[in-house]
Amino acid sequence: MSDKNGVLLAIVVPVYNEGSNLKSFNEQLVKQAESVSSNSYEIIYIDDGSQDHSGVLLKDFCEANKNLRLISFSRNFGKEIATTAGIHEAEAQAIMTIDADGQHPIELISEFIKKWKAGAKVVIGVRNSNHGEGFVKRYGSKLFYKIFNRLTKVRLIEGSTDYRLIDSSVQQEFIKMTERSRITRGLIDWLGYKRDYIKFDANPRLSGEAGYSFRKLLKLAIDSTISMSLSPLYISAYIGAAVLPLSVLTGLFMIIDALIGDPLHLKATGSAYIVVFLVFLVGILLVSQGIIGLYLSHIHTETQNRPLYIVDKGRSINLYE
Ligand code: UDP
Ligand code: MG
């Protein structure tokens, strides 16, 4: 990498099948970038293995404007990895990340820059509302913030998004983090630094569907909690410890039953006791095994030590090196 402080502003945009949105999005973004920092900007698009014509469009944009770069992934690696690749590539004093689907209001970029110039090292876009999001997704995300904040030492602000700005000093530290299962905003939050917030109303998607299904979001939520916290391991240990006295208590009941009959008139047969307890114990064993398995799988992927992403150099444009 050459001069790290090359331009004033870098804007990182992960793109996955956004063909129908990209033209108007790019026009607006370039206009805003030029008005904010004249010619001292770069826009880094990451084509995250799109199957539509996004790649072709992005190539055209980059050939027409030398301030635009394209990192083309060899396949779909997911938004978090795509954003990471863009942050790695950026060579600017301030680096912004924004979604390509038009949900993050482009005109606010100047506000982010203002807060950054006023001294904030991290400026975070916080969503007021999310039009057209289902009940499950809205309350699911509320629940996620609650659990995540309780289990980890990182404080995520509810509604905080990937629409954010980081200073190049934050970028330097971000680059050092090498874990594979990652949630970019979680890592940035973990880094700390002086931060400021900008509230915004999320626009509806320009077109197309959100690439993240509920199942994918749930997996992301579980993975990021597991990678940031060891508490779930303790929880299964605590449950195990709580079960022990319970089984002792039931044992006592059985002795009393045998000695003086059935004082509480439970009329439980011996096999009923056994069935209840077996089911209970098997359930607990499975849960704790599952939790251990989750950590094992994370250790597994981390120790494989594969590259975080693969760039198809032949299809990438205007990159450094
Ligand atoms: N995206 C990506 N890779 C993926 C899925 C999404 O790069 O596998 C991009 C997508 O093109 C968009 C941004 O990430 O620019 C946010 O995606 P989306 O709107 O689907 O997610 P949400 O709005 O639900 O966070
Ligand atoms: Mg979106």
Side-chain angles (χ1 to χ4, degrees), residues 14-16 18 48 76 78-79 99-101 103 137 205 210-211:
V15 175
Y16 180 60
E18 302 281 4
D48 186 14
N76 178 256
K79 174 189 179 176
D99 283 359
D101 59 4
Q103 288 194 292
K137 211 167 168 186
R205 240 178 176 285

Side-chain angles (χ1 to χ4, degrees), residues 164-181:
R164 48 178 72 194
L165 178 151
I166 60 174
D167 185 78
S168 62
S169 56
V170 182
Q171 176 205 22
Q172 293 307 303
E173 301 306 322
F174 180 86
I175 288 174
K176 292 179 192 158
M177 300 197 271
T178 57
E179 57 254 68
R180 264 129 207 90
S181 35

Side-chain angles (χ1 to χ4, degrees), residues 154-255:
V154 180
R155 287 288 156 270
L156 282 187
I157 299 254
E158 192 182 324
S160 66
T161 63
D162 284 314
Y163 191 17
R164 48 178 72 194
L165 178 151
I166 60 174
D167 185 78
S168 62
S169 56
V170 182
Q171 176 205 22
Q172 293 307 303
E173 301 306 322
F174 180 86
I175 288 174
K176 292 179 192 158
M177 300 197 271
T178 57
E179 57 254 68
R180 264 129 207 90
S181 35
R182 51 168 60 216
I183 178 164
T184 307
R185 53 178 182 269
L187 294 181
I188 293 176
D189 287 339
W190 182 86
L191 284 172
Y193 285 97
K194 185 172 165 10
R195 50 198 55 220
D196 209 335
Y197 301 89
I198 290 180
K199 294 224 163 210
F200 72 93
D201 288 311
N203 301 319
R205 240 178 176 285
L206 282 174
S207 65
E209 284 207 2
Y212 276 94
S213 60
F214 178 70
R215 224 187 64 216
K216 258 180 154 177
L217 281 177
L218 185 66
K219 183 169 183 300
L220 187 67
I222 292 178
D223 282 349
S224 46
T225 309
I226 293 271
S227 69
M228 291 293 210
S229 158
L230 291 175
S231 314
L233 277 176
Y234 287 86
I235 292 174
S236 63
Y238 289 144
I239 294 176
V243 167
L244 271 179
L246 261 181
S247 64
V248 171
L249 215 67
T250 318
L252 274 180
F253 260 116
M254 291 162 92
I255 294 173

Side-chain angles (χ1 to χ4, degrees), residues 47-50 72-78 306 308 310 315:
D47 179 8
D48 186 14
S50 298
S72 207
F73 278 178
S74 62
R75 62 168 171 86
N76 178 256
F77 279 87
R306 292 193 184 151
L308 210 50
I310 306 290
R315 290 194 296 136

